[in-house]
Amino acid sequence: MSIGAFDLAAFEAATGADRKTRAAALDEMCRTTGFIVLSGHGVAAKTIRDMWAAADAFFALDSASKQAVRPPVAGGPYGYLGPDQEALAKSKGVDTPPDLKESFNGRAFPLQVQVDDPQSKAFASAQTPWPELAGFREAWEAYYQAVEDLGGRIMCAFAEALDLPADFFAPFGTEPASALRALHYPATQGQARVGQQRAGAHTDYGALTILLPQQGSQGLQVKQDDGWIDVDAPKDTFVINIGDLMARWTADRWVSTLHRVVAKPDQPKRLSLAYFYQPNWDAVIKPLDGSAAYPPIAFGDYLMGKFNAASG
């Protein structure tokens, strides 16, 4: 099975039966693999180039400079996460060696939400510790805003794929509780440890992920019944995948699929950008089909539950 391709601009320009056909095709992709290779995204080439340059410059810094922008408190959501600090497969209950990667995580702007629970309040109000690197924050914020806008457009297409009004999800995303992660997978030397990957097998927590792999890089794989399949992203495309929240929201009509970045001997370094599009912190999520498949839950409570389970 291959990953389906979807042209967002062509969908937005379509009308009548053509639009319905495209929406049905999108629904089928979300039902089967939960992954989409997206073209027609409209994100400016310069915005992408500037973001790549910023990420490359950051990961080229010495360890002390990167550690200077680690999360201010242990377990904080934003800042630098160094090597040997994360094993994503553990979020699915699989004990593995640490992933072969480092990352910088942040929001463009702090969330403006009212939260009573101290742990949730600390998480929701966390600030991004920006590195002292010329142009980094400006590039990050420009890219962040562009993919946040793209996320809203994709949610409109998702609504029509679910036979809902195009603006159905708009009230849930007036202040998305989203985040952006820049990832660096250093070059591998020889065989990895048993069970070790560049990013272990996991599913994403939220509504959808907008992933931009470095052009020409390989390693992203999606789990299917007959094994793992490679995901290739041609030039000027993004890879979109459904997260656990969207599977819950659709009462499992759509699938949140296991994926990983596989480690092989003597791979070159790899960069990727992952934007996690989330609804508002206080948005109440309940099955769209009206069923009792899942109880209603505020997104912030859901997200904290996911993070606590992964860290516990």
Side-chain angles (χ1 to χ4, degrees):
M1 182 180 290
S2 61
I3 305 302
F6 187 76
D7 187 329
L8 182 59
F11 169 79
E12 291 171 333
T15 58
D18 180 31
R19 192 177 182 101
K20 288 186 177 297
T21 297
R22 292 175 184 272
L26 180 58
D27 176 46
E28 181 65 16
M29 295 173 204
C30 295
R31 284 175 180 265
T32 52
T33 65
F35 271 73
I36 304 149
V37 176
L38 188 86
S39 58
H41 52 77
V43 179
K46 182 179 185 304
T47 300
I48 293 172
R49 286 196 306 271
D50 290 349
M51 186 62 214
W52 279 133
D56 212 21
F58 174 77
F59 290 118
L61 293 173
D62 60 80
S63 179
S65 297
K66 290 184 285 189
Q67 290 292 346
V69 291
R70 64 186 182 274
V73 296
Y78 309 131
Y80 172 69
L81 195 64
D84 299 327
Q85 296 298 302
E86 186 175 56
L88 286 174
K90 290 186 178 181
S91 68
K92 307 305 288 187
V94 180
D95 191 16
T96 68
D99 295 341
L100 298 170
K101 68 177 188 296
E102 58 181 340
S103 65
F104 182 84
N105 311 275
R107 282 184 53 83
F109 313 102
L111 281 172
Q112 303 297 322
V113 295
Q114 299 297 319
V115 181
D116 294 328
D117 174 67
Q119 183 191 21
S120 298
K121 184 176 182 179
F123 191 101
S125 61
Q127 305 267 339
T128 301
W130 299 105
E132 294 183 6
L133 187 62
F136 181 90
R137 181 171 182 175
E138 292 79 3
W140 187 279
E141 291 180 347
Y143 182 83
Y144 189 104
Q145 188 61 63
V147 289
E148 182 171 283
D149 292 345
L150 175 60
R153 291 168 58 205
I154 295 170
M155 291 298 287
C156 289
F158 277 1
E160 293 193 51
L162 292 164
D163 298 314
L164 298 168
D167 62 354
F168 177 85
F169 291 112
F172 296 90
T174 54
E175 190 184 5
S178 305
L180 174 62
R181 169 174 259 200
L183 293 135
H184 172 231
Y185 306 93
T188 59
Q189 297 179 352
Q191 189 72 42
R193 295 159 62 186
V194 174
Q196 189 172 40
Q197 304 292 357
R198 284 179 143 182
H202 65 285
T203 57
D204 295 340
Y205 298 156
L208 65 92
T209 301
I210 301 175
L211 178 70
L212 184 61
Q214 189 174 31
Q215 188 65 42
S217 66
Q218 296 182 338
L220 177 62
Q221 296 182 329
V222 174
K223 184 71 170 66
Q224 294 296 284
D225 291 339
D226 54 353
W228 293 91
I229 61 173
D230 294 324
V231 180
D232 295 318
K235 185 178 180 180
D236 200 30
T237 63
F238 287 90
V239 176
I240 310 300
N241 67 275
I242 298 302
D244 297 345
L245 183 76
M246 185 58 73
R248 179 186 180 119
W249 217 341
T250 62
D252 297 316
R253 169 174 169 170
W254 289 0
V255 295
S256 178
T257 308
L258 274 175
H259 53 284
R260 68 184 185 183
V261 180
V262 68
K264 297 179 181 180
D266 306 317
Q267 294 168 301
K269 78 170 188 177
R270 181 183 194 266
L271 293 175
S272 66
L273 305 169
Y275 173 80
F276 304 100
Y277 185 87
Q278 323 284 32
N280 299 343
W281 186 270
D282 58 358
V284 176
I285 309 302
K286 54 187 177 181
L288 295 168
D289 64 358
S291 73
Y294 296 96
I297 190 169
F299 173 71
D301 294 338
Y302 163 87
L303 184 64
M304 294 306 300
K306 285 282 190 178
F307 271 95
N308 288 337
S311 61

